[in-house]
Amino acid sequence: MKRNFVVGMFGGLIGSAMLLIVLSVAGIVGARSSDVTRSDVSRANDVSAATPLTSTFTYQGQLKNGGSAVNGSCQMAFRLYDALVSGSLIGSPITPTVPVTNGLFTVGLNFGSNAFNGNGRWLDIQVNCTGTFVLLPRQALTPAPNALFASNANLLDGQDSSTFVNLSSAQTISGLKTFLGGVKFPDGTTQTTAFYRLALPGPGAAATVDSAGDVGQYTSITIGADGLGLISYYDLTNGDLKVLHCGNAACSSGISATTVDSAGDVGEYTSITIGADGRGLISYYDFTNGDLKVLHCGNAACSSGNTATSVDSA
């Protein structure tokens, strides 16, 4: 008789488990048995609007033994997993003693603030009403209709959070952006009408970099492989081609000017670029011979090792 009772109780609990699954899934969205009175529901949902919400959610179910509703207290064990079978345990097990009235019970479950991240979750339940824990089939937790909105919680104006920058660290922002209120820079400058560029030092933000005679006609400028300015220009006084290498980004110090071709009257109409080898390449006019010449710089400053070649003398 004892064995039959245990088997019968086991079968009753398994039968109630199927009903428990139906009610608990519905319970996640606030559904309840018709046996629950309105006053019971009101008390369960009586939360002040000023009370901060926690990660606790309400789980409701029904237990029957041999077709009869259970009354009394039952030990229960709730575990949260990330898969229907096996999987990883999420949070810590919850093992309350739960009062059951007319087969109905309500329990608050909290598996931690990071338990739900939008991925599937399954609830593993064990029930002990007779001295033996019975494992019920693992069931999926489904969302409440309004909670579906939370899947967009990391979006702002339809954009994923990964598209926004962290203002507390250095960022590279690509593309043209419009800032209606302007942009304030660390030096206190507020720019509202154009792209901001750091001002060059010194009065008037201009400096004389070569005053040795009448120089500076037909200038051409580029940025060298070292990140500094490289300028080609014509020395009218001597009829030479000159190159100036800047010593800093503002070209305000460390400047070196070099005559790179003085073979006749040369250097008009200069044009300079940086070659694939990272050194300057300059095209210019040889007035004496009426030729097109090209000069290849021997180093980044174009101060030595330079090679000048007449490339068209027809």
Side-chain angles (χ1 to χ4, degrees):
M1 292 296 293
K2 182 176 181 181
R3 178 175 298 177
N4 291 338
F5 175 79
V6 172
V7 173
M9 177 64 72
F10 184 86
L13 288 173
I14 291 298
S16 67
M18 300 305 294
L19 182 57
L20 174 63
I21 292 172
V22 174
L23 289 181
S24 58
V25 173
I28 297 301
V29 298
R32 51 190 179 275
S33 169
S34 58
D35 294 335
V36 180
T37 64
R38 182 175 298 275
S39 60
D40 292 334
V41 175
S42 298
R43 285 193 297 271
N45 296 321
D46 186 14
V47 178
S48 169
T51 303
L53 292 175
T54 68
S55 51
T56 299
F57 64 93
T58 300
Y59 181 91
Q60 294 179 326
Q62 185 178 48
L63 287 175
K64 287 186 177 181
N65 178 18
S68 300
V70 173
N71 283 281
S73 295
C74 296
Q75 290 180 294
M76 298 186 185
F78 298 88
R79 292 176 175 83
L80 189 65
Y81 288 89
D82 60 3
L84 176 62
V85 179
S86 299
S88 299
L89 181 67
I90 307 296
S92 301
I94 300 172
T95 57
T97 298
V98 181
V100 183
T101 304
N102 295 326
L104 301 176
F105 69 90
T106 300
V107 63
L109 302 177
N110 189 339
F111 294 100
S113 58
N114 297 320
F116 298 94
N117 60 5
N119 295 322
R121 294 291 183 261
W122 284 260
L123 196 61
D124 180 289
I125 308 171
Q126 296 184 46
V127 179
N128 176 12
C129 297
T130 62
T132 302
F133 273 98
V134 177
L135 177 62
L136 305 180
R138 195 177 290 184
Q139 62 184 108
L141 295 182
T142 55
N146 280 331
L148 291 173
F149 180 75
S151 63
N152 296 324
N154 68 330
L155 301 182
L156 179 59
D157 196 23
Q159 300 295 315
D160 187 82
S161 58
S162 61
T163 63
F164 297 91
V165 299
N166 180 1
L167 296 180
S168 63
S169 61
Q171 299 291 334
T172 299
I173 303 175
S174 61
L176 180 64
K177 308 298 179 185
T178 301
F179 300 93
L180 298 180
V183 178
K184 187 174 184 178
F185 294 89
D187 62 1
T189 302
T190 299
Q191 194 74 15
T192 59
T193 58
F195 289 108
Y196 176 79
R197 292 181 176 87
L198 292 174
L200 295 175
T208 299
V209 292
D210 189 352
S211 58
D214 189 348
V215 294
Q217 292 184 355
Y218 307 110
T219 63
S220 180
I221 188 170
T222 188
I223 301 299
D226 56 3
L228 302 176
L230 195 65
I231 308 169
S232 62
Y233 55 102
Y234 179 54
D235 178 350
L236 178 63
T237 299
N238 298 296
D240 296 340
L241 172 67
K242 297 187 75 173
V243 170
L244 183 139
H245 180 251
C246 298
N248 57 20
C251 209
S252 59
S253 64
I255 297 163
S256 61
T258 305
T259 297
V260 293
D261 191 351
S262 57
D265 189 351
V266 294
E268 294 179 312
Y269 313 112
T270 71
S271 181
I272 188 170
T273 189
I274 300 299
D277 58 1
R279 289 178 285 175
L281 194 64
I282 309 167
S283 63
Y284 55 101
Y285 179 55
D286 177 349
F287 181 78
T288 298
N289 298 297
D291 295 344
L292 171 66
K293 296 187 75 172
V294 168
L295 184 134
H296 181 243
C297 296
N299 56 25
C302 209
S303 59
S304 65
N306 305 322
T307 303
T309 306
S310 291
V311 293
D312 192 348
S313 57

